[in-house]
Each structure stands twice: as C-alpha cells, then as structure tokens.
C-alpha cells in the first residue's frame, strides 16, 4: 500500500510513534491522519504531533496530510491558527444546525488565516433543509453520510444554476471525482478495505472508522507489529469473502463500478440506494459535459465553475 488513512484520538507522543511505526510500513508513501482533538487544543499540542511525524519522516520517505477534527468548537487563537496553517492542516468542525450563526465568525477567521476547513454535519432526515439553512449564512455543508434519493438528479439541476449556491458534498464529491478522475472521498461509495485504520485510545485497531466493534476489530498495536499481522484475524476472514464477491459482481455487471468500487463492504445498500447514486452520477456527468461544450461555464454557480476551471488547469481528460 502506498497510501493509508489513519483515524485516531489525541494520543501521547509515545503511543503516536507506535501507531506510525506499526502502520507506516516501508511501502507507504502517503499518510492521511484524521486526529480527533479536544476543544482546549493549543498550538503546542499541534507542534508536538507534527514533531513526531517529522521524526518518522526522517527515517522513511513519507508525506503526511493532516485533518484536525473537533467535536466542539475550539478557541482558534492566533498561535493555533498560525501553526495549523504552517503545517497544512485541514480543520474539520463537527457541527450542528443550530450552531450555524456562531460558525460564521469562526469560518471567516479560518478563511482569513488561509486554513482549509469544512463543517461536517451528522444529519440524515432532511439534508436539503440543513443545507439550505447553512447556505443562508454563506456556509458550505459537508454531510457525514450524504444521502441520495430519486429526486437528487433534479435537485442537482437546480443547484447547478443557483447563483447563491454553496458547496454541498452530496454533489461536490461526485463533481471532483469525475473531473479529476479520482475515487470518491466518501467511503460509502469507494473502497477503503485494507488501507484504512481506526485507532482508539487503547491502541486497538479497527478496519472502519465509522463502525468500531468486534466485527471490524483487527487487534492491538501493542501486540501486533504490522498490517499483515493485523489482517490475519477473524474479522477479516469473515468479511473478506463477501467483499471479493460483491466487487467482482459489480465490476462484471455495472459500468458505474469506477465511481463506487463496489461500495462499502460493511453496508448492504438496497437496489434503490444504488440506483439513486448511479442516476445522480450520470446526471452530474451529463451536465458537466454540457456546460463545458455549450460554453456555459460562466452561467453555473461558482462552486462548479471553480471545479471545472481547476480541472482544465490540471489538464484532465474528462473534458476531451
């Protein structure tokens, strides 16, 4: 594996070193770390975390990408903002609908400091109304688990030409996947099996950051010294055959396989869920090509316009 993804809490320096040493094997070149941080996190805390990474990188050629995840809004002091920006952190604020008014000032400060940020919302019942509320304050919305329905393609059409639109990952994940020709960042519509590790405070490791229980438990990093040892466990033996069967079936019978990689092996989406996602991907693909070929780039909302212009600057083959 060249790239791995680690989800972990705020650990001691010694435990954090152990995590990197046990999971960052010689073949790994890119490590994305999602760290759950407490509200009282300081600049010194971030510097200590980065120092462990720098020490590890001196031994191995590894590049780190850091996401600082907060369940409570911290006090973003000047020093904290400075160190987050200096080390290229993305700030992920787990947010609630009622916090939107307060988040305006926070988001403005992060943007002014040049810090990449996102507001992640755990909402499943009425995502469109939540998006509408956040966008009324000029805020982008990142749903923890974006939902797709029979109406999603038509909702996208309205959003596409809405001059006041803000980002929503329900559509933006698909847009970026298509134009940059990558896999979806949403693990529900991608394959993370084997490259994703969720670590708890006791250094137990799970194969899924969303489902941490006995069904996904790989073992303890205090006992197992490598991913190879971790994957030699009962949980993998029970899940792997179903993963292989599902992926082979999707690959053989569905042209949309490149856009979901067979989906999450731990989630049994029904046929409707799969059909809604496919229909949304297809609609977005059609509209993006239409916008480009008909010269409508300046007519769509600025989120889509920027995505198209960035893709063209990178020389993507999507628009060929």
């Amino acid at each position: 594996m060249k790239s791995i993804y680690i989800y972990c809490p705020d650990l001691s320096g010694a435990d954090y070193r152990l995590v990197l040493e046990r999971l960052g094997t010689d073949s790994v070149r890119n490590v994305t770390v999602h760290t759950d941080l407490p509200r009282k996190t300081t600049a010194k805390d971030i510097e200590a975390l980065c120092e462990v990474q720098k020490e590890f990188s001196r031994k191995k050629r590894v590049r780190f990408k850091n996401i600082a995840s907060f369940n409570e809004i911290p006090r973003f002091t000047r020093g904290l903002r400075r160190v987050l920006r200096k080390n290229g952190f993305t700030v992920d604020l787990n947010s609630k609908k009622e916090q939107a008014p307060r988040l305006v000032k926070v988001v403005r400060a992060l943007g002014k400091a040049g810090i990449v940020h996102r507001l992640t919302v755990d909402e499943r019942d009425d995502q469109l109304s939540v998006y509408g509320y956040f966008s009324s304050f000029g805020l982008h919305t990142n749903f923890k688990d974006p939902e797709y329905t029979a109406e999603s393609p038509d909702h996208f059409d309205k959003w596409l030409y809405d001059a006041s639109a803000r980002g929503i990952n329900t559509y933006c994940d698909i847009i970026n996947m298509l134009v940059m020709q990558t896999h979806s960042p949403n693990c529900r519509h991608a394959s993370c099996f084997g490259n994703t590790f969720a670590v708890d405070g006791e250094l137990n490791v799970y194969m899924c950051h969303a489902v941490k229980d006995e069904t996904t438990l790989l073992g303890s990093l205090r006992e197992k010294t490598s991913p190879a040892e971790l994957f030699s466990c009962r949980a993998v033996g029970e899940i792997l055959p179903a993963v292989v069967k599902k992926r082979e079936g999707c690959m053989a019978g569905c042209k949309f396989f490149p856009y979901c990689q067979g989906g999450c092996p731990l989630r049994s989406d029904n046929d409707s869920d799969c059909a809604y996602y496919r229909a949304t991907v297809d609609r977005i693909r059609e509209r993006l090509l239409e916008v480009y070929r008909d010269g409508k780039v300046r007519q769509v909302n600025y989120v889509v316009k920027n995505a198209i212009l960035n893709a063209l600057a990178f020389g993507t083959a999507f628009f060929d």
Side-chain angles (χ1 to χ4, degrees):
M1 294 177 292
K2 290 187 177 181
S3 300
I4 61 172
Y5 303 84
I6 301 173
Y7 292 77
C8 66
D10 187 28
L11 299 170
S12 68
D15 281 352
Y16 193 46
R17 286 188 195 90
L18 186 62
V19 169
L20 297 182
E21 289 169 358
R22 297 281 165 92
L23 298 180
T25 59
D26 291 339
S27 64
V28 172
R29 292 292 175 264
N30 303 291
V31 180
T32 299
V33 185
H34 296 251
T35 308
D36 289 327
L37 294 169
R39 183 177 63 83
K40 293 184 178 181
T41 296
T42 66
K44 289 185 178 180
D45 296 327
I46 300 297
E47 288 172 341
L49 183 154
C50 291
E51 187 54 42
V52 176
Q53 294 181 351
K54 291 173 183 176
E55 180 185 337
F56 183 79
S57 296
R58 282 193 284 268
K59 301 175 184 178
K60 297 182 179 182
R61 295 172 55 192
V62 173
R63 291 185 300 179
F64 284 92
K65 178 180 178 181
N66 283 293
I67 292 90
S69 181
F70 294 94
N71 286 319
E72 296 182 76
I73 302 173
R75 182 169 175 262
F76 286 107
T77 63
R78 181 179 298 178
L80 181 56
R81 295 197 305 269
R82 179 188 58 80
V83 75
L84 288 169
R85 183 178 184 278
K86 176 184 176 182
N87 292 283
F89 273 73
T90 293
V91 169
D92 187 358
L93 296 174
N94 292 301
S95 311
K96 295 181 174 61
K97 182 177 178 179
E98 58 269 21
Q99 292 177 313
R102 180 186 174 194
L103 287 166
V104 173
K105 185 177 180 180
V106 176
V107 165
R108 187 181 297 124
L110 292 174
K112 188 176 181 180
I115 298 171
V116 179
H117 54 275
R118 66 184 180 222
L119 307 178
T120 296
V121 185
D122 189 5
E123 167 66 47
R124 290 177 174 81
D125 292 335
D126 192 354
Q127 295 188 349
L128 277 179
S129 70
V130 173
Y131 160 75
Y133 188 67
F134 271 78
S135 65
S136 71
F137 290 93
L139 301 172
H140 304 293
T141 312
N142 184 77
F143 288 109
K144 186 174 182 179
D145 189 5
E147 295 287 338
Y148 297 92
T149 68
E151 292 76 34
S152 293
D154 291 338
H155 287 316
F156 171 77
D157 283 344
K158 295 176 183 178
W159 177 83
L160 178 63
Y161 288 99
D162 179 2
S164 63
R166 291 296 183 266
I168 173 173
N169 65 325
T170 310
Y171 308 136
C172 292
D173 283 353
I174 295 174
I175 291 170
N176 292 325
M177 173 186 68
L178 290 170
V179 301
M180 300 305 295
Q181 299 184 309
T182 59
H183 295 313
S184 172
N186 177 2
C187 62
R188 182 177 158 196
H189 302 292
S191 176
C192 63
F193 188 84
N195 64 11
T196 299
F197 304 92
V199 182
D200 66 18
E202 301 301 318
L203 300 196
N204 295 309
V205 185
Y206 304 83
M207 68 178 77
C208 176
H209 68 279
V211 181
K212 290 188 287 187
D213 58 25
E214 289 297 322
T215 65
T216 63
L217 178 62
L218 298 174
S220 170
L221 287 178
R222 301 191 192 283
E223 301 171 358
K224 298 187 176 183
T225 62
S226 70
E229 285 189 42
L230 288 169
F231 283 110
S232 299
C233 66
R234 178 180 58 81
V236 172
E238 293 179 352
I239 292 175
L240 186 58
V243 172
V244 173
K245 183 178 180 180
K246 183 179 181 183
R247 282 175 58 86
E248 287 179 345
C250 292
M251 188 184 302
C254 182
K255 68 177 182 178
F256 288 89
F257 177 79
Y259 305 134
C260 73
Q261 302 294 302
C264 174
L266 300 176
R267 179 165 176 161
S268 300
D269 289 336
N270 59 43
D271 291 340
S272 293
D273 290 331
C274 187
Y276 298 153
Y277 178 71
R278 295 198 312 264
T280 307
V281 171
D282 208 30
R283 180 68 62 83
I284 292 175
R285 179 181 178 280
E286 289 177 1
R287 292 294 182 260
L288 291 176
L289 291 174
E290 175 187 283
V291 165
Y292 175 69
R293 290 168 180 168
D294 295 349
K296 298 180 179 178
V297 175
R298 298 191 181 279
Q299 298 177 30
V300 299
N301 70 57
Y302 84 98
V303 177
V304 179
K305 180 173 71 174
N306 287 345
I308 292 174
L309 294 178
N310 287 338
L312 293 173
F314 275 98
T316 177
F318 176 77
F319 295 107
D320 290 348

